[in-house]
Amino acid sequence: MSIDSDQDEESLTHVGSAAPSSPSDEQEVEVADGIAEFVEGVLDEGEPKTWEELQALAEEGLKNARKRKSYRDEVVFASLVQLYRFAPRQGRLRGSLRVARNLGRGPAFARVLNAHARHFEAMGSLKPGQQGKRPSGSSGSGESALDDEAFSLGVKSFLRTLAPGTVTPTLLQHHVNEHLFPSLKLRKTSISKRQARRWLYRLGYRLKSHQKGVYWDGHERKDVRKHRQEFCDLLKSLEPYMAMYEGPEMKEVPPNLAEGEVEHVFIYQDESTFHDNDFQGQGYYLKHGEQVLKKKTRGRLMHRSGYICARYGNLALPPEMVEANARLPEGERLTKTDSGVTIFPSNKDGGDTYWNTQQMITQLRHAILIARRLFPNAVIHWVFDNSSCHDSRAPGALNAREMNVGPGGRVRHMHDTIIPLGNPHGHGGELQSMQFPAHIPDNHPYKKFEGKPKGMRIILEECGYIKPGTKLVGDCKLCKAKRARKPKLALSPEEMDLADCEDLVNDSEDESRPSDCCLLRILELQEDFQNELCLLQKVVEEAGNQCHFLPKFHPELNPIEYYWGWCKNYFRERSNGNFERGKRLLQEAVDMCPLITIRRFFRRASRYLSIYHLGATGVVAEFAAKRYRGHRGVMQKDIDQAQAEWEVKQTKLTVGQSLH
Ligand SMILES: [Zn+2]
């Protein structure tokens, strides 16, 4: 980052010394540390690195503000554009004074502008207005106990006694309340934990969280790595056919296509949940509404499912195309021009039902039509989270779990199949029906099961895997235990959100079960059962598009994950717990994320892609991603260097530790 904010902090206090420290500073601190955990690492890619990039981003904001006729934002953005024009030569502080002068305003304006600038640089959005925000709790007079020389010294020397990483607001709070206040006989006698947090912030402490995409178990599992490699290789191989986004304004550079070649476009889907109480900073973000923690305090649930692409951001027709669409005859007109869907699920009357496959498919069908309109000639690739497929089998799909052991019963009918060619009992290539024929001769033992499902046992007999009378249970203890196993990994809530628990439960590399322990297992391992398309894939492929699933545990490869992070941040800064306001804010957040920022998210995901493509894994990959922040492509030599640097760093750490 090219901006030295500490220095500005110092000088600013002189400029604004006439005004007492405003509550908005307090709020800024509180908001900043409340969201730090989730947002850190997500936003730093959205965060512009140079004055030039900041100016481009502010210009885009200005354009949007004009479109929305938001006068307040327009003024702030216009000032920021000016500021970033002056800043390269004069610095942020003198730049803002100059902007103030140009506008006939004084130092107070410069100070406010500066605060806006700093927020804008950190968050990529404007500082929220005060309207509708709850009053900030305990900020009384502008005077802070920290301004007291002796007190401040006491706090600082206490913090120095704590080993790095062990500092917490609670520790500071207790020390202050039990030791410092009594000994210094100050007017104030106690502070809240929140106050302690603010002080830590003032003293330069930041709540650091794990970076997104850190190597939890599973990330480097053999099967996951294989899928990741395939996925990254495929995307890399298509890069020459894709538009790229470069420079401070992330301008589009179209692919250099030869005669007859077609552009390839990638669209990413994912879901996210918002709660109207998220501003309280105790948010645990979970996917799929049903797994809500701390239900009581989180407030109403809002569920958003969306698609993004690098050219347009949110997958929706731009205004001029919406108008053109409205003029089309009814048959050709799209009924939906924005692919995003927000629902407000609730068990109460009037609430929406929870997100399900049906809603997802309906949304996808609209999205496909919109995408075709936006990219009429391109090959369109749809990328889904790995877990999206779990419960979206097509009607009639083969699924051993839904089958009975014996014939009959009220079981879903499944389509016919061809016994896989690899069948070791000579049945490969035979047509096989999952149901008995509608008419069976009278003397046949299965007469009473006419048209009914055959059940696992008969299906497997037909394939030659078991003989009539073979003693084998339908579903054995091992398999049951396996499915019931809870994830043992200690994941943070964000990781749980990202890693989708289902994946953790359902498969793991240490496969100790035999492949023929029970009927269910034999059947599930059959190629035709394994290859059953999920409904998403079916719908996408029927539309002539291509469908991909992200490797498990790899949110860092999905640009929309970063986008949700941005939206959540925007939402949390402005939410006040009111449901109606929350509804509006969510839509606003989704619309407000600047296209430049979204393109940076794509660049970030693309950087991980290059890194994995080059074979870097785990820690080194993460290290390289940080090291080459802002680069789109990473070269082999970069990976080698990252590897080397990482090793040096490790050695230093080990040496450092052994000294203690
Ligand atoms: Zn089994």
Side-chain angles (χ1 to χ4, degrees):
M1 181 104 190
S2 59
I3 296 152
D4 187 352
S5 41
D6 284 352
Q7 205 183 338
D8 276 354
E9 193 76 60
E10 277 297 314
S11 353
L12 248 172
T13 42
H14 297 298
V15 179
S17 54
S21 93
S22 70
S24 69
D25 290 344
E26 299 264 13
Q27 267 188 0
E28 193 182 348
V29 170
E30 195 187 320
V31 166
D33 72 55
I35 57 168
E37 188 153 14
F38 185 80
V39 167
E40 190 137 352
V42 174
L43 287 181
D44 68 17
E45 186 65 14
E47 185 183 326
K49 306 298 182 295
T50 65
W51 297 119
E52 213 184 352
E53 288 175 347
L54 286 166
Q55 193 186 325
L57 192 60
E59 272 163 10
E60 191 185 331
L62 178 59
K63 246 188 276 162
N64 286 342
R66 286 204 180 117
K67 220 186 284 166
R68 286 181 290 114
K69 300 190 172 41
S70 162
Y71 182 67
R72 173 207 176 247
D73 290 5
E74 200 180 321
V75 170
V76 180
F77 275 123
S79 312
L80 286 175
V81 171
Q82 278 199 43
L83 171 59
Y84 294 128
R85 206 171 291 149
F86 300 142
R89 263 176 297 134
Q90 304 186 302
R92 172 133 52 56
L93 181 66
R94 283 175 55 204
S96 60
L97 281 165
R98 187 164 160 197
V99 176
R101 241 194 342 268
N102 286 354
L103 296 171
R105 309 289 288 269
F109 180 87
R111 200 178 72 92
V112 171
L113 178 58
N114 239 305
H116 273 295
R118 208 165 306 120
H119 185 276
F120 180 67
E121 285 149 26
M123 305 300 179
S125 62
L126 285 192
K127 252 173 78 153
Q130 298 308 305
Q131 203 189 2
K133 190 78 190 172
R134 79 212 146 105
S136 94
S138 56
S139 72
S141 69
E143 202 65 24
S144 162
L146 264 196
D147 295 334
D148 182 290
E149 210 53 49
F151 180 80
S152 164
L153 201 68
V155 169
K156 284 179 194 160
S157 50
F158 165 68
L159 291 173
R160 265 199 299 274
T161 65
L162 300 172
T166 62
V167 174
T168 66
T170 316
L171 277 178
L172 178 61
Q173 182 198 12
H174 287 168
H175 181 76
V176 166
N177 290 348
E178 285 154 29
H179 302 282
L180 280 180
F181 278 143
S183 68
L184 290 169
K185 303 197 177 61
L186 290 177
R187 196 156 40 102
K188 214 168 170 165
T189 55
S190 76
I191 61 163
S192 63
K193 197 168 145 191
R194 191 204 272 169
Q195 186 68 50
R197 234 187 297 139
R198 284 185 201 141
W199 283 356
L200 284 177
Y201 188 93
R202 247 186 89 174
L203 293 168
Y205 287 82
R206 298 289 181 275
L207 189 54
K208 300 271 188 227
S209 66
H210 63 280
Q211 287 282 320
K212 273 217 162 179
V214 195
Y215 10 89
W216 48 84
D217 288 4
H219 197 267
E220 298 303 327
R221 249 167 45 183
K222 219 193 285 163
D223 56 331
V224 175
R225 261 159 80 168
K226 182 163 168 275
H227 183 185
R228 180 176 71 204
Q229 196 68 48
E230 288 164 2
F231 180 81
C232 294
D233 292 354
L234 172 80
L235 263 74
K236 284 307 271 189
S237 72
L238 291 174
E239 243 175 32
Y241 308 99
M242 288 156 66
M244 292 295 153
Y245 298 88
E246 283 160 17
E249 293 166 32
M250 297 301 284
K251 278 246 165 68
E252 181 169 312
V253 182
N256 202 350
L257 298 174
E259 177 89 28
E261 287 181 340
V262 203
E263 186 185 0
H264 285 244
V265 171
F266 278 79
I267 299 172
Y268 291 81
Q269 186 273 344
D270 202 11
E271 290 143 41
S272 190
T273 54
F274 296 72
H275 293 262
D276 51 19
N277 277 347
D278 277 348
F279 72 95
Q280 287 176 339
Q282 50 207 351
Y284 291 95
Y285 296 110
L286 290 173
K287 226 174 228 172
H288 305 305
E290 62 270 24
Q291 303 170 344
V292 177
L293 293 179
K294 301 203 169 185
K295 214 170 188 167
K296 258 182 248 156
T297 55
R298 301 196 65 201
R300 281 288 298 272
L301 168 70
M302 295 168 240
H303 182 284
R304 172 88 185 173
S305 173
Y307 290 87
I308 60 170
C309 59
R311 184 166 303 156
Y312 296 97
N314 178 38
L315 188 74
L317 297 187
E320 56 286 4
M321 287 180 83
V322 172
E323 280 168 34
N325 180 61
R327 287 194 298 271
L328 289 175
E330 203 167 328
E332 296 164 43
R333 204 184 307 145
L334 299 185
T335 51
K336 285 199 74 153
T337 56
D338 186 335
S339 67
V341 173
T342 307
I343 55 167
F344 309 98
S346 163
N347 295 325
K348 291 194 203 110
D349 284 348
D352 294 331
T353 55
Y354 286 85
W355 188 244
N356 57 35
T357 306
Q358 176 130 43
Q359 297 178 56
M360 179 139 180
I361 294 299
T362 309
Q363 182 191 22
L364 174 60
R365 290 191 200 277
H366 285 298
I368 287 174
L369 295 175
I370 294 170
R372 192 37 83 200
R373 211 37 90 74
L374 291 174
F375 307 102
N377 303 311
V379 178
I380 302 174
H381 299 257
W382 300 82
V383 182
F384 299 92
D385 187 274
N386 201 287
S387 60
S388 305
C389 202
H390 282 314
D391 5 79
S392 79
R393 302 274 160 166
L398 303 177
N399 184 1
R401 297 248 184 102
E402 290 180 50
M403 294 170 79
N404 285 339
V405 174
R410 289 159 57 89
V411 181
R412 187 168 64 82
H413 282 216
M414 297 175 198
H415 61 67
D416 295 350
T417 185
I418 309 245
I419 298 179
L421 290 173
N423 182 292
H425 307 284
H427 296 283
E430 289 172 16
L431 183 75
Q432 183 180 38
S433 176
M434 298 293 132
Q435 282 77 231
F436 287 111
H439 299 289
I440 297 179
D442 284 346
N443 55 353
H444 198 277
Y446 294 127
K447 171 66 185 167
K448 62 172 178 175
F449 297 115
E450 276 178 346
K452 294 263 166 63
K454 291 176 180 171
M456 289 192 281
R457 188 175 288 279
I458 292 173
I459 296 292
L460 284 174
E461 279 173 20
E462 288 177 355
C463 302
Y465 282 100
I466 55 170
K467 304 224 154 39
T470 303
K471 281 216 158 67
L472 205 54
V473 293
D475 187 10
C476 76
K477 266 189 204 150
L478 280 173
C479 291
K480 276 188 189 135
K482 173 105 182 166
R483 284 198 301 276
R485 200 162 74 199
K486 293 281 176 291
K488 276 183 293 197
L489 315 173
L491 296 186
S492 74
E494 289 83 7
E495 287 167 340
M496 285 297 257
D497 182 12
L498 298 171
D500 198 83
C501 310
E502 279 247 344
D503 293 340
L504 299 173
V505 181
N506 278 342
D507 41 28
S508 77
E509 199 184 357
D510 60 324
E511 189 51 86
S512 53
R513 283 178 301 167
S515 58
D516 58 355
C517 53
C518 55
L519 299 177
L520 179 60
R521 179 130 169 93
I522 303 177
L523 205 51
E524 272 190 333
L525 288 174
Q526 295 304 306
E527 211 180 298
D528 47 346
F529 278 72
Q530 292 250 306
N531 291 344
E532 193 58 87
L533 284 190
C534 82
L535 200 49
L536 288 174
Q537 192 169 359
K538 228 177 150 136
V539 171
V540 166
E541 289 177 2
E542 274 167 10
N545 296 177
Q546 302 205 20
C547 181
H548 311 279
F549 292 93
L550 283 166
K552 284 167 199 161
F553 317 113
H554 284 70
E556 69 271 31
L557 289 172
N558 193 353
I560 203 170
E561 295 277 7
Y562 306 126
Y563 173 65
W564 291 142
W566 193 98
C567 292
K568 279 183 178 177
N569 170 48
Y570 184 96
F571 181 89
R572 290 177 75 166
E573 281 188 325
R574 289 161 179 80
S575 174
N576 63 358
N578 176 291
F579 179 55
E580 289 306 318
R581 183 183 169 86
K583 269 181 166 175
R584 266 204 320 276
L585 275 176
L586 173 49
Q587 187 57 46
E588 211 176 290
V590 168
D591 294 336
M592 292 289 278
C593 188
L595 187 56
I596 294 183
T597 303
I598 294 180
R599 289 177 176 176
R600 287 208 181 91
F601 293 155
F602 271 83
R603 182 176 64 185
R604 183 174 206 212
S606 166
R607 188 164 65 249
Y608 275 103
L609 213 66
S610 316
I611 290 170
Y612 292 130
H613 170 67
L614 291 170
T617 56
V619 188
V620 174
E622 200 61 38
F623 188 70
K626 253 191 240 165
R627 178 87 171 60
Y628 297 100
R629 196 177 276 186
H631 297 220
R632 187 180 55 77
V634 177
M635 311 288 203
Q636 185 63 56
K637 65 176 170 50
D638 300 332
I639 298 288
D640 296 343
Q641 193 180 341
Q643 171 87 40
E645 278 179 35
W646 173 253
E647 276 161 17
V648 170
K649 208 174 153 195
Q650 282 305 97
T651 326
K652 275 189 193 149
L653 275 179
T654 335
V655 172
Q657 273 160 6
S658 61
L659 289 177
H660 286 290

